[in-house]
Amino acid sequence: MAAIPFKQKSFWTDTVVMPAADPAVPLPEAADVAVIGAGFTGLSAARELALHGAKVAVLEAETFGWGASSSNGGMVLTGLKLGVDALLKKYGREAAQRMYAASLKSIDCVEEIVKQEGISCDFRRSGHLEVACKPAHAERFRRMADLTAREFNHRLRFVPGSEIRSEIGSGIYFGGLVDELSAGINPARYVAGLAQAAKRAGAFLYERTAVQHLESGLHQAKKGFRVSTSRGTFWAREVLVATSGYTGKATPALRKKIIPIGSFIIVTEPLPEDLARELSPRDRMIYDSKNFLYYFRLTPDRRMLFGGRAAFFPETSRTIGQSAKILHRGMLSVFPRLRDVKLEYAWGGTLDFTFDILPHAGQLEGLYYALGFAGHGVAMATYLGTKVARLICGERDENPFAGLPFPGAPLGLYNGTPWFLPFVGAWYKFLDWVS
Ligand SMILES: Cc1cc2nc3c(=O)[nH]c(=O)nc-3n(C[C@H](O)[C@H](O)[C@H](O)COP(=O)(O)OP(=O)(O)OC[C@H]3O[C@@H](n4cnc5c(N)ncnc54)[C@H](O)[C@@H]3O)c2cc1C
């Protein structure tokens, strides 16, 4: 076992100085829009709103980018968490096609913002690779490639087991599926750049400002919300909830629709160039075909970043420590050559699953929201943040997730405390065993 201890923090946050807000600047008396949460969703929305001339106040309970946005794998992925076959079966051809097309557009959306704002965040279209853990999974990949070409006019390349070594330096997989359109990014640099861009566009950003309570009412004879925060109260005509897996008591109706699930990552010391090239010859964003999956990639400075849903519960010092051990064993099962390589970082973050495993963006009880990215949020959170901002500005912009019913738990058996996670975890492990 490589030497542990490691730093219990996101590697990405060590590569950037996050913009900070002046704590002496008071909250406004009133704003057009209050945005709750300063991650990809909240900041891309704030930028778009400010560019449309709205007076925007972004309220972040911790520091900018503190949530999943600076602690993820930096995989900018096409497709949705829900597979294309399930998407077609459940929503029909037309709706499924629009949702899948949105997933492709979301990558362009990130690329455009990065270019327009000159964000230095190592965005690169190096493609993604899904690897098959069982022969039956490789067969499914072949069918998925055909289905995606036929129904979505999008090319995925099936890689048979005999050729998988051209994509990954591991002997444990039975085939792969490549999408050249996906990209890699340094997420902390990206979210820092988004914060700067929102600020330049004219948004007001407040950190260490937790929203505690929202109350609809009238202000100067106009409908709006009284926004109570840890630093005082103000009025906003509209509110956008962009709190992802950290959605809490201030928005109880939305909290009941989000299941917070932990995801964890370890990062090694930098690898020698030839070893890095051997393990990932095409520098892909890689994930496997299990429900309890592993995802991994090289960082721009050639470290191995290896993540997974090792513990199901959100991040604490204990779950991070346990997960680091599980992930380290997992990493060595994929890449035994990393046995003597040191771990330098381990951390966790919280994912926002919905009960239908789809993202949702729209309005509930008067509050706008964009939530439910389920580990596919780097691109989609940026995209839906931008879309909802345009909706707030009165634009009828196409958004395939707007009209979807947003389900809660069956029989209403959930108030935001996910008591059922151990059972779900056991169920997924069982599925991985039998499927
Ligand atoms: C370990 C991990 C790995 C991941 N890997 C990938 C990946 O490789 N590719 C991918 O596409 N997606 C990935 N994701 C998912 C992706 O990171 C998220 O979907 C995305 O960052 C969500 O962005 P967001 O802005 O909606 O939420 P977040 O970035 O989580 O921001 C929400 C913010 O809301 C704030 N907040 C909450 N409540 C309040 C309140 N009451 N008042 C004020 N502020 C509040 C929180 O402090 C937080 O900063 C991963 C996630 C995790 C955790």
Side-chain angles (χ1 to χ4, degrees):
M1 175 95 182
I4 296 178
F6 35 73
K7 289 194 207 173
Q8 273 213 12
K9 67 178 294 205
S10 162
F11 155 72
W12 302 115
T13 55
D14 262 359
T15 67
V16 67
V17 178
M18 279 288 167
D22 180 352
V25 175
L27 291 175
E29 249 177 50
D32 294 324
V33 187
V35 175
I36 314 178
F40 301 142
T41 308
L43 292 169
S44 59
R47 169 183 175 270
E48 190 68 20
L49 286 160
L51 289 174
H52 277 74
K55 182 173 180 188
V56 192
V58 180
L59 311 155
E60 167 54 54
E62 305 286 340
T63 48
F64 303 135
W66 173 89
S69 295
S70 62
S71 56
N72 58 71
M75 303 188 178
V76 193
L77 301 173
T78 57
L80 300 164
K81 180 70 188 165
L82 197 63
V84 284
D85 43 354
L87 207 59
L88 280 165
K89 204 164 150 192
K90 201 163 167 199
Y91 298 98
R93 198 179 210 182
E94 200 201 330
Q97 284 176 343
R98 283 192 293 124
M99 288 187 230
Y100 195 84
S103 88
L104 304 183
K105 284 185 210 154
S106 70
I107 319 274
D108 298 339
C109 175
V110 173
E111 190 170 34
E112 269 163 34
I113 293 177
V114 166
K115 275 195 191 142
Q116 279 167 10
E117 301 292 349
I119 303 174
S120 163
C121 57
D122 301 301
F123 177 91
R124 198 163 84 81
R125 298 250 190 185
S126 48
H128 84 241
L129 167 72
E130 186 175 0
V131 280
C133 296
K134 295 183 180 179
H137 297 183
E139 277 316 303
R140 185 164 55 80
F141 284 2
R142 201 192 286 274
R143 289 197 303 277
M144 289 308 121
D146 290 345
L147 187 72
T148 310
R150 195 172 63 241
E151 298 290 343
F152 302 107
N153 194 23
H154 181 62
R155 183 168 184 268
L156 300 175
R157 186 166 56 82
F158 174 68
V159 185
S162 56
E163 291 169 24
I164 196 70
R165 285 275 183 180
S166 65
E167 288 285 342
I168 183 172
S170 171
I172 68 167
Y173 297 114
F174 295 88
L177 203 52
V178 170
D179 192 333
E180 301 284 353
L181 235 62
S182 293
I185 204 167
N186 176 327
R189 284 183 173 216
Y190 175 51
V191 77
L194 275 180
Q196 272 147 351
K199 214 166 163 180
R200 268 197 306 276
F204 297 89
L205 310 188
Y206 302 90
E207 52 185 357
R208 303 199 190 285
T209 307
V211 174
Q212 294 164 330
H213 187 65
L214 297 165
E215 197 182 330
S216 59
L218 287 179
H219 177 62
Q220 296 177 346
K222 286 191 182 148
K223 274 191 185 169
F225 290 88
R226 193 180 151 84
V227 183
S228 304
T229 80
S230 52
R231 287 183 53 198
T233 298
F234 70 102
W235 281 91
R237 193 170 44 80
E238 305 290 0
V239 172
L240 168 60
V241 183
T243 46
S244 186
Y246 302 93
T247 302
K249 287 182 186 154
T251 53
L254 287 167
R255 186 182 180 213
K256 280 193 225 164
K257 294 181 186 285
I258 297 295
I259 312 158
I261 292 185
S263 188
F264 299 83
I265 292 180
I266 53 174
V267 165
T268 67
E269 62 185 326
L271 306 180
E273 204 173 336
D274 53 346
L275 177 59
R277 204 175 311 118
E278 183 192 317
L279 301 185
S280 182
R282 297 173 199 251
D283 199 16
R284 303 286 194 206
M285 306 294 117
I286 307 176
Y287 56 92
D288 73 29
S289 58
K290 298 193 302 297
N291 289 297
F292 233 78
L293 56 76
Y294 292 138
Y295 50 92
F296 41 98
R297 60 168 290 185
L298 295 172
T299 61
D301 64 347
R302 293 196 313 270
R303 297 162 187 270
M304 179 57 68
L305 176 154
F306 196 92
R309 228 148 285 151
F312 239 63
F313 281 106
E315 66 277 18
T316 60
S317 184
R318 196 170 61 86
T319 54
I320 293 172
Q322 287 169 345
S323 299
K325 286 190 191 138
I326 297 170
L327 290 175
H328 189 249
R329 278 199 301 274
M331 183 177 79
L332 295 186
S333 71
V334 179
F335 298 122
R337 295 254 346 241
L338 294 178
R339 181 159 305 280
D340 297 322
V341 171
K342 272 202 307 223
L343 290 191
E344 290 198 345
Y345 295 85
W347 71 91
T350 304
L351 306 176
D352 54 343
F353 272 73
T354 53
F355 285 90
D356 58 4
I357 324 181
L358 278 182
H360 289 266
Q363 222 179 347
L364 181 74
E365 296 180 352
L367 302 173
Y368 286 94
Y369 60 82
L371 300 162
F373 304 110
H376 260 57
V378 176
M380 195 51 87
T382 307
Y383 181 75
L384 289 186
T386 307
K387 289 281 177 202
V388 176
R390 290 185 192 151
L391 193 68
I392 295 173
C393 295
E395 282 184 21
R396 285 181 56 83
D397 207 15
E398 206 260 4
N399 167 13
F401 304 99
L404 287 180
F406 195 168
L411 310 173
L413 289 171
Y414 177 56
N415 63 0
T417 307
W419 52 268
F420 44 79
L421 283 188
F423 305 106
V424 176
W427 173 242
Y428 279 141
K429 278 188 179 155
F430 173 71
L431 287 181
D432 283 333
W433 183 52
V434 295
S435 67

